[in-house]
Amino acid sequence: MPKILVKRILDEPELYIIRVDDDQIRYFEAMWSIPEGITYNSYLMKLGDEVVLFDTVKREYAEMFIEELKRLIDLEEITRIVVHHTEPDHSGALPQVLKENNYRAQVIGTTFAKNLLEGFYGKDVIKNFKVVKDGEEMKIGDRTFRFITVPWLHWPDTMITYVVEDKLIFSCDAGGGYSIPEDIDDERDEVVQRYLPYVTKYVVTVIGHYYKYIVQNIKKLKRLGIIDSAKMILPGHGLIWRKDPKRIFEHYEKIGAGIPEKDKVLVIYDSMYGFVEERMRIVIDELRKLGKKVSVYKFTDKENPSVADILGEVPTAEALIIGASTFEADIHPRIRYTLFEILDKANYEKPVLIVGAFGWGGVAGRKIETMISRSKFDHVATVESRGKPSKEDEENLRKAVKMLFS
Ligand code: FEO
């Protein structure tokens, strides 16, 4: 059952998190398998006569969200609603909140956000809309809100809010991750350690396509000096960062740079009838002899791993080994799709070995080579042959594995 968690985060200013723990979702964006779930974080700040709501939650949780909001405030008292990003996992409950608010609140966001909100929910939600520009400041109560655009983190509409006096960053998607952490913040290191791999998976699957903007926007925030001095980073998903606020953006930077874990090798393959698998057993045996830690994902007649999980493993891999069958004169469709997503969202300068097996004609290896040669990955070798691997194939495979690390 989805849960809603409400906690007071600060006394001065009075600040609450309203967090929906979505354990019902299976495929984020109807695509990325997340059995670990996700949270949608909204925040409410009371500043005397001003009451500011930062984002909302997904539409299907609007009723429970509003019920909890009503325990904190009469909805008509909300004076401002900051929309950092209009994707419906954050804006879905906005129309109902505004209705209950009798449309008294000023809605604040970028021009892009205004247009998208109108497209999604109609004219009512934008009738009291205040467009803000990059760097614009607004006095709300006795606080200064600075709005900073971070385009493509995750859509062109996206901005963050920096509360100047308190050094708070409301960052929406940026700084977020999948899963439902047992705590609301980064106080306990074991919670953070469990959470960070889900951050990596989230960043690659959701924002990976806009990789260069991750790097650019973090640079921008650093240049503005707000990351180094931040007291708290409050994302729209996952943990709040207050013990070590910089840590989450350092982790994002590591993902952007593809910093590998020592000796980690990612092995991905399909095997329809075991011929690719026989080759991969040799490959994995050689990797273990070399002291490598092997992460294996295989598509077979019994297994269909999550492409989202595979994507989440790429940034920390030292090297990749891709095994594929030739299928209808092409790459096996499962590997073709996986590779397409890797090259689109997790395109790094890392060495790649290609392993192929075929019946009457080998095509997969060559096609994968072409895809790899157009990417940032470094093609090291292709070992592809017919049917059962021969003694010579085994020697070639072992030699090729060694070449990956020479
Ligand atoms: Fe969490 Fe791009 O929405």
Side-chain angles (χ1 to χ4, degrees):
M1 281 294 289
K3 278 202 297 236
I4 190 154
L5 193 149
V6 181
K7 279 203 173 154
R8 191 164 173 145
I9 309 166
L10 274 179
D11 293 328
E12 186 50 45
E14 197 177 328
L15 179 65
Y16 300 85
I17 181 171
I18 306 113
R19 183 180 107 171
V20 170
D21 292 352
D22 186 357
D23 62 356
Q24 300 299 296
I25 189 167
R26 289 293 166 264
Y27 304 101
F28 192 73
E29 295 179 330
M31 202 168 0
W32 312 116
S33 170
I34 51 163
E36 63 270 30
I38 191 166
T39 76
Y40 315 112
N41 306 347
S42 168
Y43 301 93
L44 186 84
M45 188 186 278
K46 295 186 185 177
L47 292 166
D49 291 340
E50 294 274 5
V51 177
V52 185
L53 181 68
F54 298 90
D55 299 309
T56 66
V57 298
K58 214 174 169 186
R59 185 175 52 191
E60 65 195 89
Y61 302 118
E63 274 173 29
M64 65 197 279
F65 176 68
I66 287 169
E67 205 179 299
E68 289 303 323
L69 268 183
K70 283 180 177 168
R71 290 184 215 275
L72 296 175
I73 199 95
D74 175 345
L75 259 66
E76 290 197 6
E77 289 176 50
I78 299 173
T79 54
R80 323 263 183 166
I81 303 176
V82 179
V83 176
H84 292 114
H85 171 36
T86 56
E87 190 164 5
D89 53 333
H90 307 285
S91 71
L94 180 66
Q96 273 168 266
V97 170
L98 277 171
K99 208 169 159 194
E100 298 256 358
N101 170 260
N102 269 325
Y103 300 94
R104 288 165 190 254
Q106 179 184 57
V107 180
I108 300 168
T110 60
T111 305
F112 260 117
K114 185 180 180 188
N115 293 336
L116 287 168
L117 287 179
E118 183 182 359
F120 292 167
Y121 309 117
K123 286 205 180 302
D124 279 352
V125 294
I126 55 152
K127 58 187 178 193
N128 185 11
F129 194 97
K130 163 78 179 153
V131 169
V132 286
K133 295 202 165 54
D134 185 29
E136 190 169 329
E137 290 191 348
M138 195 186 281
K139 208 78 185 160
I140 300 178
D142 58 356
R143 295 308 203 268
T144 313
F145 285 48
R146 185 184 302 160
F147 304 104
I148 301 163
T149 57
V150 285
W152 302 107
L153 274 186
H154 147 235
W155 282 1
D157 59 350
T158 313
M159 65 175 198
I160 63 163
T161 301
Y162 180 59
V163 182
V164 177
E165 291 79 3
D166 310 287
K167 299 182 168 50
L168 306 176
I169 299 178
F170 293 89
S171 61
C172 203
D173 272 357
Y178 291 135
S179 82
I180 301 173
E182 54 264 59
D183 295 350
I184 59 155
D185 63 26
D186 61 339
E187 183 57 38
R188 292 193 297 155
D189 197 57
E190 63 269 30
V191 174
V192 173
Q193 292 299 344
R194 272 196 292 277
Y195 173 61
L196 286 178
Y198 295 118
V199 173
T200 308
K201 177 176 167 183
Y202 167 83
V203 171
V204 177
T205 54
V206 177
I207 326 176
H209 179 76
Y210 304 110
Y211 159 80
K212 69 175 180 183
Y213 297 99
I214 301 176
V215 179
Q216 271 177 21
N217 280 309
I218 292 177
K219 268 193 193 152
K220 175 179 174 176
L221 299 181
K222 278 188 160 177
R223 208 173 50 241
L224 294 170
I226 65 170
I227 292 187
D228 285 341
S229 61
K231 290 260 168 58
M232 218 186 279
I233 292 171
L234 303 116
H237 301 289
L239 289 179
I240 292 171
W241 298 83
R242 60 176 156 187
K243 184 177 168 192
D244 185 4
K246 275 192 294 188
R247 188 171 180 184
I248 185 61
F249 284 118
E250 282 167 2
H251 187 74
Y252 267 54
E253 282 180 309
K254 271 194 204 164
I255 300 165
I259 307 289
E261 281 171 19
K262 190 171 164 11
D263 290 329
K264 174 176 169 177
V265 180
L266 180 57
V267 173
I268 310 157
Y269 65 93
D270 78 274
S271 194
M272 291 186 286
Y273 294 104
F275 295 120
V276 177
E277 184 140 54
E278 277 190 60
R279 286 164 173 79
M280 295 320 251
R281 277 199 204 110
I282 297 164
V283 163
I284 291 165
D285 178 62
E286 192 59 36
L287 286 169
R288 296 214 163 113
K289 279 184 186 159
L290 294 171
K292 302 295 173 187
K293 290 177 279 184
V294 191
S295 277
V296 182
Y297 290 87
K298 53 180 175 176
F299 298 93
T300 67
D301 58 0
K302 297 185 182 61
E303 291 179 57
N304 183 20
S306 144
V307 174
D309 285 343
I310 296 173
L311 287 169
E313 297 257 25
V314 181
T316 48
E318 199 177 80
L320 271 67
I321 301 181
I322 298 168
S325 320
T326 289
F327 179 92
E328 295 176 351
D330 211 321
I331 308 162
H332 188 279
R334 298 272 194 214
I335 295 296
R336 193 167 58 204
Y337 170 66
T338 305
L339 205 51
F340 171 83
E341 292 295 354
I342 289 175
L343 299 186
D344 180 48
K345 291 174 176 289
N347 191 1
Y348 295 103
E349 286 174 32
K350 294 178 189 276
V352 176
L353 165 64
I354 302 164
V355 176
F358 57 89
W360 58 95
V363 176
R366 185 168 31 87
K367 287 210 170 184
I368 295 174
E369 246 180 68
T370 306
M371 289 173 80
I372 294 291
S373 65
R374 291 176 183 157
S375 75
K376 288 188 189 165
F377 286 96
D378 303 316
H379 172 243
V380 173
T382 302
V383 182
E384 188 176 34
S385 54
R386 188 189 306 275
K388 197 175 161 55
S390 64
K391 202 71 205 149
E392 192 190 345
D393 292 330
E394 178 170 347
E395 279 166 24
N396 289 337
L397 285 166
R398 291 189 187 276
K399 211 189 309 167
V401 170
K402 287 190 189 104
M403 279 168 63
L404 268 180
F405 310 103
S406 59

